[in-house]
Structure formats: structure tokens, C-alpha cells
Amino acid sequence: MFRSHTCGELRGEHVGQEVTLCGWVDSSRDHGGAVFIDLRDRYGKTQVVAGPESGADVVEQVGRLRGEDVVKFVGTVAFRPEGTRNPKLATGAIEVRVIRVELLNKCKTPPFTPGQADLPGEDLRLKHRYLDLRRESMQRTLLLRSRIIKSMRDYFEEHGFIDVETPILGRSTPEGARDYLVPSRIHHGKMYALPQSPQLYKQILMVAGYDRYVQVARCFRDEDLRADRQPEFTQLDMEMSFVDADDVIGMIDGLVVKLAKEILELEVKLPLPRMTYDEAMRRFGHDAPDLRFGMELIDCTDLAAEAEFRVFRAAAEAGQVVRGIRAPGGAARYSRKGIDELTEFVQQDFGAKGLAWFRVEEDGKLWSPISKNFADSLLARFGQRLEAQPGDLLLLVADTWEVSCKALAALRKRLGAELKLYDPRQMHFSWVVEFPMFDFDHEEQRWVAMHHPFTAPRRQDLAMLGTDPGKCRAQAYDLVINGSEAGGGTVRIHDQQIQQQVFGLLGIDQEAARERFGFLLDALQLGAPPHGGIALGIDRMVMLFGGLDNIRDCIAFPKTQRATDMMTGAPGTVDRRQLDELGIKTVGP
RNA sequence: GGGGCCGUAGCUCAAUUGGUUAGAGUACCGGACUGUCGAUCCGGUGGUUGCGGGUUCGAGUCCCGUCGGCCUCGCCA
């Protein structure tokens, strides 16, 4: 060991001891006769001083040190002189008076330093990730991540789960996300696929009798990225046998309580609130609503039908909906220009035809450029319906159900943040349950699985599989934290007949089903217990628990939005030879 | 695939309506200084304004293309 202590360790009790510290030069202050160095490692910072008692040689050597040099100091711990203690530093009561210094590795002038006030551009941070990871906030986040994963593993261990690793090289399955493919050298033209999730394997493990399985699993999806999406990400994946949805939810409820307590020192009351998918869409327009504030969507279609205003009446008569939200205090916050921006927002991003708005005046009356198209009494009823208060801004969308959901949910999210309707540090955990089994794909004119093709319908909805698949609800559940989907799971079909029926609805014929996942169908017929599980997005949970707004900050070595690694340059070209071995010819770019 | 924002010194940013030799802070280099902790003071180095083309008497600024980063719709559970 080079060092006797870390840079975050020394206190008054160590005064008088000779210690050895190693670390990086965080900053230096050279006074000629005395040089101060803040030495940093991941545990903290300690001030090191070279003064006259250190000797002129040492003072000179220490004076030559620059930011990010790697140094070893031998010295004596001493109280700082009265009045020079630094309350901003945990080690601020003491300093280390240098006896010897050894430069372990000189650092070139770095492109940026971990301590600098202005955060450098993200491209630069990603290119020199080793420098970025030296920053305190990155170290805090990676530590948080480590603690969350440790808590999760402990929890499942305590509950009798067994950790089983599943393959990374697997087989491409249809449906779901685009696969990352790995060409086979031995079988030219054939490909492995990296797992989108260990879904199929964990079902197989249930059939095999490992009735409580858990894994911290890396997953891959070759889709476009977002602030909260990476091409490779980590799930806490689990599955249980002889359970229904309530059992899985209950198990995760317990985990949430434990995490909240251990990580956030927060008492969470059980059971976590649950809401059906239909209710979530009706009240919030979204399947993962942020329940830290209200501002619910209010249906006004019946009132709209009575209006002179053609946009409203036409929508109502065409079977569309007119729904709105009330932005408390929004009249002052949003000028005409601001409202124009909101309008453009819902039009460009969510395909809304427009955004109708009313300001609530001092006397409670609604004013808008379009208000002349409404009878006074009708305006009053709109006001009542939306529970308008003076100073509010009312925003309404007349459109299809889907567009009204998307546009208003996005508005609600944006306005909630801009109007500061909640404390961003507050945490809210809830469940959304009973998702539809199927979504109708209008382009392809067919039903697609909302979750995946192995999701079990609710028992009471079984009959509707044949008659009205759109109304059929699944035994599916999402864990929602602060308006983000933190995880989702389902009870799976363990009955071969129902599975065939679902495949049929999805347009997967028997032959195709056999070809793609015959192994699972076989397994389901060879003693499959009823089973269900869930997968939690660990990166996202770190993001939420850490109050971060960017998933890259939760991952040590993340990819850019275009799925490249700026540090290594991946993806990169390979030798002609390597391609030849794989039997691959490239056509571009 | 679509929409938007951004790219100026190593870094963070500025540069009036298109107008003189592109500036500041910091970092770096040299000098001074024994109690600093964003040290201070003096001096200095540092620029293909991402790249390519165009408009113009004149482009960091306007236009087109391209590369890169970010946000977002589609996509994705």
C-alpha cells in the first residue's frame, strides 16, 4: 500500500501522526515560501502544505506541481492555525505538513479539470470520461448506483431468489425492438441477437422449477436514443412461479420501501397507490402519470357540442373529444407569445390541430380571442367544469382521443414543471395496472401486443379474446416513479391453448411461432407453472433517485445519441480478414 | 426518417445592423510573494470562428451543404 489514509479521512484526532497520502492535485496556491495543495481522491480532499520546515527543496518540488498530477505525500497531520480552518472541507480542520513528496505521474495539461466551475461540453466529457468520472457528482452517482444494486440484490436474496445468468448471445425474436445482431463465424449468414431482455430465458427457468429468479441483466435495443434511453441498459429482472399480479406487485412494493428507506431515508406507505391504465389515460392522458401534482384532464366534449365555435362543435359531432387542463396562475406566466409557443409545441410534436385557451379574469369570467363564439352562460359552464380560478389559464384540445391524450399529457408535464406545481425533490411511487392486451396498428391493419406476445389476459377477459380483443385487459403492471416508467411486468401465459389464440390474433401462424420460439412452446407443454415477473430499469431508477435528468450521467461509459462511444470510437471498422471469416461483405457507406 | 438548439483560444463564454488588427475569465508559460483555500500582483504564449461552398466591396455574423453534440416526434416497454 502506497498510502496510510485516504484524502477524506483525516481529522483532528490524527494530529501529530505521520501519514502518507496519494491522490490527484486538485488545486494549488503558491505563495513562494509556502505552497498549498488540495490533494483529491474519491474519498475527499485534504490540504497539504509545504513550508519552511519542509525544506527549500520540497517547497520547490511542490511548487512545480500542476492540476491532475498524481502525487504521494509523506507528512505530519497538524491543526491549521486559528482562523484558517476551512468549513467547506470535511478535512478542513487539519492539514498535512509535507516531509517528502513523490511525483508518481506527471499529468499533461488536461482538456478540463474535475474541479472547474463551468462544466465542459458533454462531448468533451465523454471523450475524456476518465477525467469526467473524477468529478464529485459523477462519483456520487456511481456510488448511488452501486448502493441501489446492492440493496436490490440483498432484498431478493432475503426473499429466497436465486441469481441466474442468461445468455448474451441469443436468438432474434420478432416483435418488440430492433435487435443488435452478432454474425456467426461458424454459420455464415446466421446471426445471434443480443437480448432485449432475458424474457424468454426467465420463463424457461420457471418451467425448470427455479421458482424465484433474479438477475441484474444487461439489455440491448437498437432504437433511437433519448435523454432517458441508452442502446444498452441494465434491468433488475425477476420472475416468480405460482403467483398472480398482486404477488409480484407486493414483492416490489417491499423493495420500494427498502430502497426509499436505505437510499433516500424516506418512509413510504404501503400499498403503493394503483390506477388502471384506462383511468390513467382518462385523468392524465398518459400511462405513467406524474402524480406529484394534479392538473388533471377534464372532458368538455358535451359542452363543446353546444358551442358556436366550429372547431369545438365539429370535433364533438365527429365523435372526437374536447378536453382541457387548468394551469393555476398560468395567465400571468404565459403571454400571447408564450401561448403561441405552447400551441406550436402541441402541433409540431403531437399532431394537435390547435390549442384553444382562455384566461380567467379577476371577476371569474373567461376571456379569449375565441370567446365571442361562446354564449356567456356556456363560458361560465366551461369555467365551472374546469374549476377555473382568477389568474388561471385554461387550455383545451379538440381532437381524437389519442391526440388529446398525447398533447394534453405533454402540456401537463411541461406546465407542471414551468409553473413549479411540485417540489422536484419529492418522490412519488405508484402502479399502473390492467394494460390493454393489444394495440391496433392502423398502418399494418393488425393487432400488435402492447407488452409482448406471452402476456396473460385477465381471467375475466378471456372470453373477449375471441370477440373483442381491443377491450381485453392484460395482467400487466408498470411501476411509475415521478411520471417515469421505472419498470414493467406481466403474468405470463402458461397455457398452450391461450398462447395459440394470442399468436393467432397477432397474425403469427403456427409455423412461424414454431420457427421462432418453438422451444418456449415446447416448454409450456412440459410442466410450466403459472408465473409472472417484472423488470426494473436500473439506470432510470438511479436517475430518479439521484434527481438527474440524463441517463448518461448514471452510466460510467454511456453512448452518445447516435450510439457511439466517444472515448473508444465504437463502433469502429474491422479488418477485411475479420469480415471474410464471418462471410460478410459490406455495401456502404 | 422529421422538427429544433448549439459549434469562436486547452476550457467556459463575448463580439452592436454584415464593417478596423476576433476579446474576457480561466488554464498554460515566466516573474514576485510564508497562511491560502475561486489566493493575489506583474508580464507572456495561445485563433483555419467545426469543415466545404456561396452571396457581398467586406462574413464569426447571411444562404446552401456537410460533420459532430444535445433536445424532441416517429421508433422503443
Side-chain angles (χ1 to χ4, degrees):
Chain A
M1 296 282 257
F2 281 37
R3 61 187 175 189
S4 65
H5 297 79
T6 70
C7 295
E9 205 175 340
L10 297 175
R11 297 290 185 276
E13 64 196 74
H14 298 95
V15 165
Q17 292 183 22
E18 185 175 310
V19 298
T20 307
L21 295 182
C22 293
W24 289 260
V25 174
D26 194 66
S27 60
S28 61
R29 296 168 291 284
D30 187 345
H31 288 239
V35 183
F36 301 87
I37 299 282
D38 285 347
L39 193 69
R40 182 195 70 239
D41 61 20
R42 77 176 173 93
Y43 305 93
K45 286 188 227 172
T46 299
Q47 174 165 284
V48 171
V49 197
E53 70 275 28
S54 305
D57 266 13
V58 168
V59 171
E60 205 258 324
Q61 276 183 70
V62 174
R64 276 203 306 268
L65 294 175
R66 292 294 176 268
E68 302 312 304
D69 283 345
V70 185
V71 203
K72 178 170 108 175
F73 287 107
V74 179
T76 313
V77 183
F79 278 116
R80 296 192 188 189
E82 209 58 49
T84 67
R85 299 189 176 171
N86 186 350
K88 285 189 263 182
L89 232 52
T91 60
I94 56 91
E95 62 192 7
V96 171
R97 307 244 162 100
V98 183
I99 298 167
R100 278 196 309 281
V101 55
E102 184 182 343
L103 181 59
L104 298 173
N105 200 353
K106 181 74 192 162
C107 182
K108 292 201 333 189
T109 301
F112 64 94
T113 55
Q116 76 184 53
D118 299 304
L119 199 60
E122 195 170 359
D123 42 357
L124 202 71
R125 290 174 53 206
L126 291 173
K127 181 169 182 193
H128 303 283
R129 193 59 162 173
Y130 34 84
L131 296 179
D132 193 43
L133 292 175
R134 281 180 205 164
R135 291 190 308 109
E136 202 207 336
S137 77
M138 280 308 303
Q139 293 179 342
R140 223 182 12 244
T141 304
L142 291 186
L143 181 66
L144 172 72
R145 184 184 177 110
S146 172
R147 289 174 57 215
I148 287 174
I149 292 174
K150 165 84 162 74
S151 285
M152 287 174 162
R153 287 198 150 123
D154 287 350
Y155 179 81
F156 288 105
E157 166 90 38
E158 286 157 19
H159 286 83
F161 283 73
I162 172 170
D163 189 325
V164 181
E165 290 168 275
T166 53
I168 293 294
L169 295 176
R171 168 161 196 176
S172 179
T173 52
E175 311 262 340
R178 190 178 297 117
D179 285 317
Y180 273 102
L181 298 175
V182 178
S184 163
R185 174 180 59 85
I186 298 170
H187 308 277
H188 282 189
K190 291 192 174 174
M191 300 280 169
Y192 300 97
L194 306 184
Q196 297 175 25
S197 76
Q199 176 60 38
L200 267 34
Y201 294 108
K202 70 176 175 179
Q203 289 196 252
I204 298 286
L205 285 169
M206 292 305 107
V207 179
Y210 293 77
D211 58 356
R212 291 189 166 198
Y213 143 90
V214 71
Q215 182 182 194
V216 175
R218 193 65 64 87
C219 307
F220 306 85
R221 289 175 192 168
D222 189 3
E223 296 291 348
D224 286 349
L225 273 34
R226 288 287 186 284
D228 61 353
R229 283 191 342 220
Q230 279 277 299
E232 61 177 305
F233 59 100
T234 309
Q235 286 187 343
L236 187 289
D237 190 47
M238 70 89 121
E239 192 82 3
M240 306 167 75
S241 289
F242 309 114
V243 294
D244 59 23
D246 281 348
D247 298 315
V248 178
I249 289 173
M251 185 62 70
I252 299 301
D253 272 358
L255 175 66
V256 168
V257 167
K258 178 184 163 87
L259 288 174
K261 189 170 184 178
E262 290 183 358
I263 308 294
L264 303 169
E265 291 168 0
L266 211 66
E267 297 293 333
V268 171
K269 292 229 162 51
L270 290 185
L272 298 181
R274 296 184 200 181
M275 186 184 296
T276 65
Y277 171 89
D278 289 338
E279 184 181 357
M281 296 308 285
R282 184 164 45 77
R283 290 174 57 193
F284 302 99
H286 198 263
D287 63 359
D290 193 335
L291 299 181
R292 290 177 297 180
F293 62 103
M295 206 157 86
E296 298 190 16
L297 279 49
I298 309 290
D299 196 303
C300 301
T301 311
D302 55 328
L303 299 179
E306 297 178 36
E308 293 282 314
F309 187 50
R310 281 188 53 191
V311 173
F312 276 19
R313 215 178 55 222
E317 283 167 4
Q320 298 188 335
V321 295
V322 177
R323 292 199 291 173
I325 52 174
R326 177 181 74 92
R333 171 70 174 72
Y334 295 98
S335 60
R336 282 294 280 269
K337 195 179 158 199
I339 295 171
D340 286 347
E341 278 173 23
L342 296 178
T343 306
E344 203 176 318
F345 173 60
V346 293
Q347 285 176 328
Q348 288 206 334
D349 281 359
F350 304 98
K353 289 189 283 292
L355 186 63
W357 58 272
F358 297 92
R359 270 190 191 133
V360 186
E361 310 276 275
E362 280 306 312
D363 58 7
K365 292 203 171 122
L366 307 193
W367 184 88
S368 165
I370 57 166
S371 49
K372 60 181 181 296
N373 297 303
F374 295 81
D376 283 352
S377 60
L378 186 59
L379 277 185
R381 285 163 67 204
F382 266 101
Q384 277 169 16
R385 177 72 61 84
L386 288 156
E387 297 175 4
Q389 299 294 318
D392 290 349
L393 179 66
L394 310 179
L395 297 160
L396 293 104
V397 168
D399 220 304
T400 61
W401 172 261
E402 286 76 16
V403 169
S404 78
C405 281
K406 281 186 180 177
L408 289 171
L411 270 182
R412 176 177 178 272
K413 183 179 174 188
R414 177 168 169 172
L415 296 175
E418 290 181 357
L419 293 168
K420 299 189 168 57
L421 298 184
Y422 58 92
D423 176 353
R425 289 166 306 180
Q426 192 195 336
M427 298 292 285
H428 191 284
F429 304 89
S430 69
W431 291 98
V432 171
V433 300
E434 294 178 20
F435 281 73
M437 280 289 286
F438 309 102
D439 224 3
F440 196 73
D441 185 329
H442 292 280
E443 262 180 42
E444 297 191 29
Q445 284 291 304
R446 68 183 186 98
W447 293 103
V448 293
M450 187 117 170
H451 199 95
H452 57 66
F454 313 106
T455 304
R458 297 198 309 162
R459 277 179 216 89
Q460 57 268 49
D461 294 351
L462 269 177
M464 283 194 293
L465 266 185
T467 55
D468 194 354
K471 284 223 170 68
C472 202
R473 292 294 178 264
Q475 299 185 53
Y477 31 85
D478 276 5
L479 177 64
V480 177
I481 308 179
N482 302 349
S484 283
E485 179 202 329
T490 61
V491 169
R492 274 87 202 191
I493 300 171
H494 62 278
D495 179 299
Q496 172 70 1
Q497 298 246 265
I498 298 172
Q499 186 66 72
Q500 288 298 347
Q501 202 178 350
V502 170
F503 280 156
L505 270 163
L506 295 174
I508 303 173
D509 61 40
Q510 294 227 6
E511 203 178 326
R514 275 237 73 79
E515 156 75 14
R516 288 160 177 176
F517 20 70
F519 64 98
L520 181 66
L521 300 182
D522 288 343
L524 290 179
Q525 294 180 85
L526 290 168
H531 59 286
I534 192 168
L536 305 178
I538 288 183
D539 316 277
R540 261 186 212 177
M541 288 187 71
V542 174
M543 212 171 138
L544 293 163
F545 277 59
L548 302 166
D549 54 12
N550 176 332
I551 202 168
R552 293 180 298 279
D553 286 346
C554 306
I555 298 174
F557 302 102
K559 303 281 191 290
T560 66
Q561 196 181 39
R562 296 187 61 240
T564 62
D565 179 335
M566 296 206 76
M567 188 176 69
T568 65
T573 53
V574 296
D575 291 344
R576 179 77 244 167
R577 257 183 80 137
Q578 288 176 283
L579 289 178
D580 287 345
E581 278 189 325
L582 294 165
I584 287 179
K585 276 198 180 122
T586 55
V587 292

